[in-house]
Amino acid sequence: MNPIIPTPQTPAPEFQPRLLLVDDEPRLLTSLYELLRVQDHYQLVTATNGAEALAALSRQHFDLLLLDLRLPDMSGHDIMDFVNAREIDCDVIVMSGEAGIEAAIGALKRGAYDYLRKPYNPPELLKTVENALQKRRLAVENLRIAQRLENSEKMYRYLVDSSPDIIYTLNHEGCFTFINDRAYQILGYTREELIGRHYSVLVHEEDQERARYVFNERRVDERASRNVELRLKCNNSAAGDRTFNNTLMTISLNAIGMHVPGEAVAKHEFFGTYGVARDITDRKRAEEMISYQAYHDILTDLPNRILFKDRLGLAVIQAKRKLAELAVMFIDLDRFKLVNDTLGHVKGDELLQQAARRLKDCLRKGDTLARHSGDEFTIVLPELRDRADAKAIADKFQEVLQQPFDLDGHVVHISASIGIAVYPTDGDTIEELLRHADIAMYQVKAQGKNGHSFYHASMQDMSHQKIALEQSLRKALENNELEMYYQPQVDQASGRVIGAEGLMRWNHPTRGLLSAGEFLPFAEENGLMLPISDWMIGALCRDLLLWNAAGADNIRLSLNLSPQYLDRGDFFEKMRNALLRYQIAPAQIEVEITENICIRNPQYAIEQLNKLCQLGVSVAIDDFGTGYSSLSYLHRFPIHTIKIDQSFVKEIHDEHGHYPVILAIISIARGLGLHLVAEGVETEVQARYLAANGCATMQGYLFYRPIALTSFMEVLAAQNQAELPALAAVPRLAIQA
């Protein structure tokens, strides 16, 4: 059956588009259905999953598919692939809540008419649907009219003026001889304003030369058609310039006359140009946006790693040509992870955005700041006069980052560790410069953070030493090189040892005795804390057996617990099994945790610590007052002991002075009925001040340094001999298997 062609006598039948709505969320699907139902000329069909959608597409024709990308049984991309593979004539509007650019790129590549992000704006959705259907209406109308175009000049005029593209002709001088009404709809120029005028009145000034070349190149025959993208000016200044893809074809006349046999029978005479201009402004903007997001970090709007390497490569080429220097910086934000874990990822993202703005404000014109990954940034400083320029910028970075950050009422402080590599001294390739700047940055971190350092070849050796240390640490457990040392905790009034803190040491085969601070950070970074902590529990229980056999079962042992170890669900079982195996009274064990453990995963931490307390093990807060958390956790968590951090104790220089932080901590402990221990006591003045203000238990170099088990046993033996009568032992508590 032939399609009905609109004519003045035969009105076009009403276009009743059929729409397929696909969404697995019933509430959203119902809302979308009701929104479109009021458009009474729409025929609506719904599907709640991919299978239903494919079945509907196979059964009947649809003009438009409104598609959610995330479905329970397949992705929206799969459905679009089904449509394309079977050449189903159906436009697709994608609606998705996914934030990633990959989803949008995938939809556009598969031919989506438009991409709307959830939650969508109902008027915008209705407009998009209407535009898509309008496009189909025009296509249907153009097809119908095209079949009768040869028989009716009126049908020809209808087709041209209803086209979604601008159709025009130029004479041999480049002046308009015809242009359809689409020019007025898009550009705001009426046909009367353009007929007889030169095409250059529409072309953007920067594209005039390109237009002059293609419009004046008078191709004929198979070379007659060519394409060019041009920006055209709009009559309405608010609309701005728009980009069009112009398909041009030379119009020529054949002059046939008398001829000598064997010579040409026709002569082509240039008559003008026929052109079709399609508005691709929205497509160009989408392409520009996709290209921009492919090379920029979405969170900070800074260049990403790909674009940074490209710019660094160009800077290296330029520096090599000019025999100049350039600097590459690697910046890592100190304490960012703590802020992120404490306040959450939303505040962490806000901190990164604020930090990026501050860093960007410090740069010179021509410098490039990029987000490398996480809380790391990279910078290239081209045309470096000398290293003093790089040092000055690094100093400025540190200055602006040390100023407080306000995250919706949360005031936080961070700093930065900055490594600097200079071309060509520290490398002449992108990879070398970045790697050496990274090594210099880690050197700053190893020296206490909050600083900057230029790369030096000796740092490479130190980096290799760290790798060697990590490899040796993996063998330390197998070779029985780890050992527990003990720092006694003393009752200041009597001088008696009433407890001890277990501290790990490593008897390194070549470097000698290493403290925990020299190797445990490597263990944390390389996933070795779990086996090391397992070893520590066993070692402590074995040593406790020796204590108890020597009559010191009233001495409490404190052990430091790694956050990684507490996060493991089997920690409690391992502790309980160890106490059962070695027959150690739980009351003799005190587990020390830091404040930040309480805020990493509060509910889980509460559950684990409550289990310990039910077992009979007590819990102490180590380094109290140095974390970000509030005091509310003291009520929520089963805490028995507070340990005053040595950084506060060091401030005591006058036993008659006033140290409000110390007094506040003592007051908190007294008010909550908690045991109190002061760490890092090194002077008599500190001891007398603490004792006078209510802290009786202390540990520090004033009393004892951390000592090996044999020496600690000698201390306990000497104390037992000096005490008559002997102190009563701490009663053992039975552990239920």
Side-chain angles (χ1 to χ4, degrees), residues 334-517:
D334 303 327
R335 298 173 64 84
F336 170 77
K337 187 176 185 303
L338 179 61
V339 176
N340 205 42
D341 290 345
T342 304
L343 302 180
H345 294 292
V346 174
K347 293 295 183 289
D349 289 347
E350 187 178 341
L351 176 59
L352 286 175
Q353 291 171 333
Q354 291 188 29
R357 286 194 292 268
R358 292 189 188 183
L359 292 173
K360 194 172 183 180
D361 290 341
C362 298
L363 295 180
R364 310 166 304 175
K365 185 178 180 181
D367 298 340
T368 296
L369 167 68
R371 186 184 179 197
H372 188 73
S373 64
D375 61 339
E376 295 178 334
F377 298 87
T378 49
I379 296 164
V380 58
L381 308 175
E383 299 184 7
L384 198 69
R385 290 179 302 180
D386 51 44
R387 295 193 171 209
D389 286 351
K391 181 181 183 303
I393 292 178
D395 288 336
K396 198 169 184 181
F397 284 161
Q398 289 183 277
E399 179 184 347
V400 298
L401 290 177
Q402 286 177 350
Q403 297 172 8
F405 289 83
D406 186 352
L407 306 178
D408 290 336
H410 298 275
V411 178
V412 299
H413 296 266
I414 63 171
S415 58
S417 298
I418 306 174
I420 310 171
V422 177
Y423 169 90
T425 308
D426 302 329
D428 57 2
T429 67
I430 296 173
E431 289 72 20
E432 282 185 330
L433 291 169
L434 283 171
R435 184 173 68 254
H436 291 165
D438 191 23
I439 290 173
M441 182 271 291
Y442 274 105
Q443 178 71 10
V444 175
K445 280 192 169 293
Q447 294 175 349
K449 306 180 181 181
N450 189 21
H452 65 268
S453 176
F454 285 89
Y455 172 79
H456 189 271
S458 61
M459 295 180 183
Q460 192 78 271
D461 297 333
M462 296 183 66
S463 180
H464 292 158
Q465 289 177 11
K466 291 179 180 178
I467 296 174
L469 183 64
E470 176 195 340
Q471 295 172 345
S472 299
L473 185 56
R474 292 184 180 274
K475 298 179 181 178
L477 286 170
E478 301 174 9
N479 299 336
N480 198 29
E481 295 171 1
L482 298 180
E483 181 182 0
M484 294 306 301
Y485 270 50
Y486 300 94
Q487 185 170 31
Q489 296 174 345
V490 177
D491 177 69
Q492 194 270 345
S494 64
R496 290 178 53 253
V497 175
I498 60 175
E501 179 179 358
L503 302 169
M504 201 175 299
R505 295 292 183 263
W506 179 12
N507 293 301
H508 194 279
T510 59
R511 297 179 58 183
L513 190 66
L514 300 182
S515 66

Side-chain angles (χ1 to χ4, degrees), residues 69 115 141 162 166 181 261 299 304 372-373 387 407 484 527 599 680 714 727:
L69 282 186
Y115 184 96
E141 291 170 359
S162 299
I166 297 175
D181 289 341
L299 178 65
N304 61 13
H372 188 73
S373 64
R387 295 193 171 209
L407 306 178
M484 294 306 301
I599 51 181
E714 292 173 0
L727 296 174

Side-chain angles (χ1 to χ4, degrees), residues 77-94:
H77 290 160
D78 295 333
I79 296 177
M80 295 181 71
D81 291 338
F82 177 89
V83 170
N84 293 331
R86 288 159 179 75
E87 298 182 353
I88 297 174
D89 181 19
C90 176
D91 288 330
V92 181
I93 296 176
V94 173

Side-chain angles (χ1 to χ4, degrees), residues 251-288:
I251 302 174
S252 62
L253 298 177
N254 291 334
I256 304 175
M258 296 180 63
H259 60 278
V260 178
E263 294 184 358
V265 298
K267 178 182 179 183
H268 294 285
E269 178 185 357
F270 177 73
F271 182 73
T273 301
Y274 166 80
V276 177
R278 172 159 294 181
D279 186 359
I280 58 172
T281 306
D282 294 338
R283 192 194 80 192
K284 294 288 289 185
R285 288 174 181 169
E287 289 174 352
E288 290 172 0

Side-chain angles (χ1 to χ4, degrees), residues 60-123:
Q60 53 188 320
H61 168 75
F62 293 92
D63 297 286
L64 187 59
L65 170 61
L66 276 70
L67 179 63
D68 181 20
L69 282 186
R70 186 180 296 172
L71 298 171
D73 54 347
M74 64 182 71
S75 72
H77 290 160
D78 295 333
I79 296 177
M80 295 181 71
D81 291 338
F82 177 89
V83 170
N84 293 331
R86 288 159 179 75
E87 298 182 353
I88 297 174
D89 181 19
C90 176
D91 288 330
V92 181
I93 296 176
V94 173
M95 301 178 299
S96 175
E98 295 190 21
I101 190 64
E102 293 81 4
I105 294 175
L108 293 176
K109 283 184 176 179
R110 288 170 171 82
Y113 174 81
D114 207 343
Y115 184 96
L116 299 180
R117 193 173 297 258
K118 293 181 180 180
Y120 51 78
N121 185 353

Side-chain angles (χ1 to χ4, degrees), residues 174-193:
C175 296
F176 287 103
T177 55
F178 171 80
I179 192 165
N180 66 350
D181 289 341
R182 189 64 171 160
Y184 177 75
Q185 298 169 15
I186 298 178
L187 302 177
Y189 290 96
T190 64
R191 182 177 300 161
E192 292 73 19
E193 289 177 299

Side-chain angles (χ1 to χ4, degrees), residues 520-534:
L520 286 186
F522 292 96
E524 292 272 3
E525 293 175 7
N526 296 285
L528 296 175
M529 278 308 301
L530 300 181
I532 287 178
S533 297
D534 287 343

